[in-house]
Each structure stands twice: as C-alpha cells, then as structure tokens.
Amino acid sequence: MTYRTRFAPSPTGLLHLGHAFSALLAHDRAQAAGGTFLLRIEDIDQPRCKPEFEAAILEDLHWLGLAWPRPVLRQSDRIQAYDAALDRLVSLGLCYPCRCRRRDIRAALAAPQEGSQNGPDGPAYPGTCRGRSMNRATPQDAIRLDMRRALDLLGDPGATFNETGPLYRGEHRIDPQELLHSVGDVVLARRDIGTSYHIAVVVDDSAQQITEVVRGADLFAATQIHVLLQLLLELPTPSYHHHDLVRDEHGKRLAKRDDARAIAHYRQQGATPATIRRMVGL
Ligand code: GLU
C-alpha cells in the first residue's frame, strides 16, 4: 500500500509553530516513503472557522514549500457522509440522545464517581440520559455513544493500533476498561453542528485512504476512540504517528491565540522556511 498522510488544520486561528511542525513532518514522511501528502480542511465547527484563517493557513503552508493534490477535502462538504456513519451506529442500537447541558453534567459529577477519571473529552459523562430512545431525539439533543453497548457488541475487541511516533512507539491495545471508565459515552453529534470531530476524522481518514496519521501528542488519548469507531464502522485502522508538542520557553503548549508564535509573525520578522524548520527541530 502506498503511504498516504494528511495535515488537517481547523481554520480557527493562524498557523503557529506547532502546526507548521505537524505539516512539515507529515510532508517529509510522505516524501521519504514516496507517498502522498494531503491537506484536509477541518471546518465542521462553522461558528469558529473563518475564511480569512483558512486563506492565511494555505498561504503559510505554500510559503513553507508544501504542495498537495487538489481538490482539497473540506469537512463542511462531507456532512452527508458523517450522517451516514452516525445512522449506522444508531441502527446498531449504540446511540442515545442527550439533553444535558454542561452545567447539568458538572452538577452530576460533583458527587465523585468511583473509578471515573478524565478522558480526552474531559470527565466521563455520568450517564444521565443513557437509555433514552433515539425515537425521542429532538434537534436540541446531542447524540452519544453508549460505550458499554459498543464494547459488548464487539466482545473483547483485542484491537491494536501501530504507533510510529517516538513518544509512544509500538503496538497499542485498546483498553475496554479505560474506554468505559475514563472516556465514557462520547458525543458523536454535537447539538450545534450535528456531527463531531471523532466521527469526521474516522470517516475522512478512511475516505482519503490514509495509511499513517501524523498529528500532535495531544490527540494520542483520542486514538482509542477512533480505533473503536473504525471497528464499529468496519473501516481500516491506519498507523499513527503522534509527535511531541512544540512548547514555549515556559514549557506551555502553544495555543492558536498565541499570535507571537504564528508563522505570519516570524515571516514578518524575516524568517525563512529553513529558519522555521530549525526552530521546530527538523
Ligand atoms: N483538526 C485538528 C486540529 O487542528 C487535527 C485533527 C487530527 O489531525 O486528527 O487540531
């Protein structure tokens, strides 16, 4: 299988050093493998995505010397594909509508729950709406995955994924106990956008025939969710390469709003693409 990877920015801010590292690394790995580097615009969160950020990101990526095939996949054009994936999970009896607002969840979690910890989307959902029927779903509801049912359906999935990044290199087995207690019933469709990052990323990595996902280590914890969804949707599991995050001089990870670390800022100060490569250790 020829190597295919992608860089998948959300146009909610300027491209900063951390993103540049991700994009350059993915691009370099594709080149070294004689494969393909793809760009994907992750713009499902429409209220937060801005055309001017997208234009600035593309401009910075070109400036860095990156090229990619067109047309570029844009997630806001793919809502039907995400709906189809959600429908499939619903038809397997694995979903329920949830009307809890953030404050309801916080209140329910105020009573400490035995064995429950934080997952990649925050504390595991306390299960208030679990058992509500999808027939009763309203447009004001989010849709959640019933994690216990999903795991029961798969039996002991014994699923693994291959990690090629330096931080977690090796074969990783998905952990049903952790999925149940730390991750919990993740949201598959947010009430405001009708889908979620987890569904979109899994559906698109498969549609784009990605063989290795290159992304920041902050998404390592979400990978178990993605592998679980791939199993449920009968999609292939790619390899993963989670790279270390670029941090500021205080060791804090860079945020999109941290414009001092934006590539545009370094460009204004006369940096070249080679300077940026050096700064991120490539
Ligand atoms: N769109 C995500 C971000 O900008 C990246 C998601 C991924 O690579 O899986 O952080």
Side-chain angles (χ1 to χ4, degrees):
M1 212 166 16
T2 47
Y3 182 97
R4 285 167 73 85
T5 191
R6 65 357 180 237
F7 175 58
S10 305
T12 56
L14 294 172
L15 194 81
H16 65 52
L17 272 183
H19 300 114
F21 178 40
S22 226
L24 288 164
L25 182 64
H27 188 265
D28 289 359
R29 289 182 68 78
Q31 274 208 325
T36 307
F37 166 81
L38 297 165
L39 180 70
R40 176 162 86 218
I41 300 295
E42 298 212 326
D43 60 347
I44 49 173
D45 199 343
Q46 280 289 318
R48 291 180 59 224
C49 294
K50 302 259 180 299
E52 54 272 30
F53 288 137
E54 183 177 325
I57 289 172
L58 294 184
E59 148 92 30
D60 284 341
L61 292 173
H62 284 304
W63 176 81
L64 284 168
L66 305 190
W68 50 86
R70 289 160 212 235
V72 167
L73 189 141
R74 169 183 297 284
Q75 289 196 324
S76 55
D77 292 338
R78 303 260 308 142
I79 301 300
Q80 279 184 345
Y82 311 145
D83 286 351
L86 181 67
D87 286 350
R88 176 133 182 225
L89 298 172
V90 169
S91 69
L92 290 170
L94 303 180
C95 300
Y96 63 88
C98 174
R99 60 181 152 223
C100 295
R101 298 293 193 250
R102 249 178 249 263
R103 61 172 180 277
D104 304 323
I105 298 177
R106 264 200 308 272
L109 287 173
Q113 297 200 314
E114 212 181 318
S116 109
Q117 290 153 17
N118 271 8
D121 295 348
Y125 175 65
T128 320
C129 290
R130 194 181 299 132
R132 274 184 71 205
S133 158
M134 281 302 295
N135 298 331
R136 294 284 175 97
T138 74
Q140 284 77 45
D141 291 330
I143 309 295
R144 287 185 182 271
L145 178 71
D146 186 323
M147 189 58 84
R148 185 175 292 281
R149 283 199 187 185
L151 291 166
D152 284 351
L153 179 79
L154 293 172
D156 178 8
T160 58
F161 66 92
N162 181 37
E163 170 68 39
T164 57
L167 298 173
Y168 309 106
R169 194 184 310 272
E171 197 79 357
H172 292 262
R173 182 175 277 269
I174 68 169
D175 179 350
Q177 288 311 312
E178 199 178 311
L179 281 168
L180 210 51
H181 299 296
S182 308
V183 176
D185 295 355
V186 285
V187 170
L188 297 178
R190 279 165 42 179
R191 74 172 63 80
D192 54 344
I193 58 173
T195 187
S196 63
Y197 161 63
H198 297 311
I199 287 276
V201 75
V202 158
V203 167
D204 285 345
D205 283 336
S206 159
Q208 294 192 292
Q209 297 175 292
I210 299 303
T211 60
E212 183 182 76
V213 171
V214 177
R215 61 186 180 190
D218 51 332
L219 289 168
F220 180 75
T223 306
Q224 290 208 67
I225 303 172
H226 301 164
V227 174
L228 180 81
L229 292 175
Q230 286 151 3
L231 284 175
L232 294 168
L233 294 167
E234 297 182 64
L235 301 175
T237 293
S239 285
Y240 287 87
H241 185 105
H242 292 90
H243 58 75
D244 208 351
L245 300 176
V246 178
R247 295 177 189 276
D248 67 14
E249 55 280 14
H250 310 293
K252 218 172 117 249
R253 68 177 271 221
L254 303 181
K256 278 210 177 111
R257 56 192 174 279
D258 187 0
D259 284 351
R261 301 299 186 304
I263 298 303
H265 174 82
Y266 293 111
R267 284 176 65 180
Q268 270 164 15
Q269 305 212 317
T272 65
T275 326
I276 303 291
R277 277 188 173 269
R278 253 196 323 275
M279 288 174 78
V280 299
L282 283 173

